[in-house]
Amino acid sequence: MVDQQHAPTQATGQVAGDDYLEKRTLRTGTAGWVLLAGLGVSYVISGDYSGWNFGLAEGGFGGLLIAVVIVAGMYLALVLGMAELSSALPAAGGGYTFARRALGPWGGFATGTAILIEYAIAPAAIATFIGAYVESLGLFGITDGWWVYAAAYLLFIGVHLAGVGEALKVMFVVTSVALLGLVVFGVAALAEFDAANLVDIAPTDAAGASDFLPLGYLGIWAAIPFAIWFFLAIEGVPLAAEETAAPERNVPRGIIAAMVVLLATCALTLVLATGAGGAEAMSASGNPLVEALGGGTAATVVNYIGLAGLVASFFSIIYAYSRQLFALSRAGYLPTSLSVTNRRRAPVLTLVVPGVIGFLLSLTGQGALLLNMAVFGAALSYVLMMVSHIVLRVREPGMPRPYRTPGGVVTTGFALVVAVLAVIGTFLVDPVAALWCLATFAAFLLYFGLYSRHRLVANSPDEEFAALAAAESELG
């Protein structure tokens, strides 16, 4: 255990007994890099099936296309930065762990809170898309409604309670099916593709408006939050670090492999769905890939498999929010009762509590609104994580890094700039929703400042990482 006199940031913390940590231990060594790559794709793949298309209403095809290119560059830089951080600091806290080491308790908690906002709200948005796909199938007369959202939450939280090994394997199978669905869609959409459909939104009188950019230059910026939906949540891969074999090697491999797959699926979906169905028609669709095909056997197959894609992301982001909340609770930033695990080493309350909140949010039925709110939390966390990478490169150049980011701080600096623009972009799309997220973020920080910062658990893994860094710095 680290001597607390070397860790001034831990002065108000407390050392918990062995029993405390024993009740808050995850199963270790259950995943390799292939499963982690599947997890990364699983987090995101619902973004190919629905949600991104609302960006067509904000910027047209041209605006969304440019936004996607910018955002894809940001995510590639982000993933390379996180690969380095996760190899150096493999713990269940992910972004919170990185920021805790670089920016202290306030920075760590702020990052973890932003990630929680993202992960608690994203499944609610996906639930509304699941409802739209279920209704379009016409099975047993089921219509989009609260019972669909409730069934999704109950079923998939239940699977997670069985343990991470079972959950990751199920996610991998469902994700593989979802990828197959995109291949089926791509083949069918080629027959329907018409380049004129890409630019069928009439130009407005906005600055820079044209057939390619019907909503002008500002439309590019407004489309950024929806471009993010193509990649949102891939940053959750490091949250599986404590449950991974050789995490310093497998986490970087997994997250980079996932990003390569997602770049390909993003390009296929954006171009073919818009070209087959038309930008204007797709801009308000709850199930764009199905509607782009119009009808027939291929559309029905894609509808069924699209549901699998949505389920994959819904399922995996539940995993992500539970691990982020688990890490914050175990370290005392949030109530410690939340992080107690069951006999299968699954954290029960960190699975259930955000699930209840997400279900209540899904009852609004406003998928686009919820998407924008999730993007606010994501983009804010990206800002803090990239700052963390830069700070650690400057302040701790000798820290062991089994993987190093190509381009170093230049790479993560680019991601930082785009992430700042993305945060501002959420206010362009819906300022009220973004302000609600900002107020929630501020409320969490107030809780930390007034209460939990005096009750941190000094011997939790993330606090020990920070204490060790402080001790090494003093000795240096």
Side-chain angles (χ1 to χ4, degrees), residues 55-92:
L56 295 169
E58 300 293 336
F61 175 74
L64 181 56
L65 175 64
I66 295 172
V68 164
V69 171
I70 295 170
V71 165
M74 178 196 77
Y75 269 97
L76 184 58
L78 175 83
V79 160
L80 293 173
M82 291 196 70
E84 175 180 308
L85 291 169
S86 61
S87 72
L89 301 167

Side-chain angles (χ1 to χ4, degrees), residues 59-142:
F61 175 74
L64 181 56
L65 175 64
I66 295 172
V68 164
V69 171
I70 295 170
V71 165
M74 178 196 77
Y75 269 97
L76 184 58
L78 175 83
V79 160
L80 293 173
M82 291 196 70
E84 175 180 308
L85 291 169
S86 61
S87 72
L89 301 167
Y96 141 68
T97 301
F98 310 150
R100 173 64 184 88
R101 174 73 172 254
L103 308 175
W106 279 96
F109 183 71
T111 305
T113 297
I115 294 170
L116 271 182
I117 291 173
E118 171 194 358
Y119 288 163
I121 298 176
I126 296 169
T128 67
F129 303 144
I130 289 174
Y133 269 73
V134 167
E135 184 171 7
S136 66
L137 285 171
L139 294 175
F140 312 113
I142 297 175

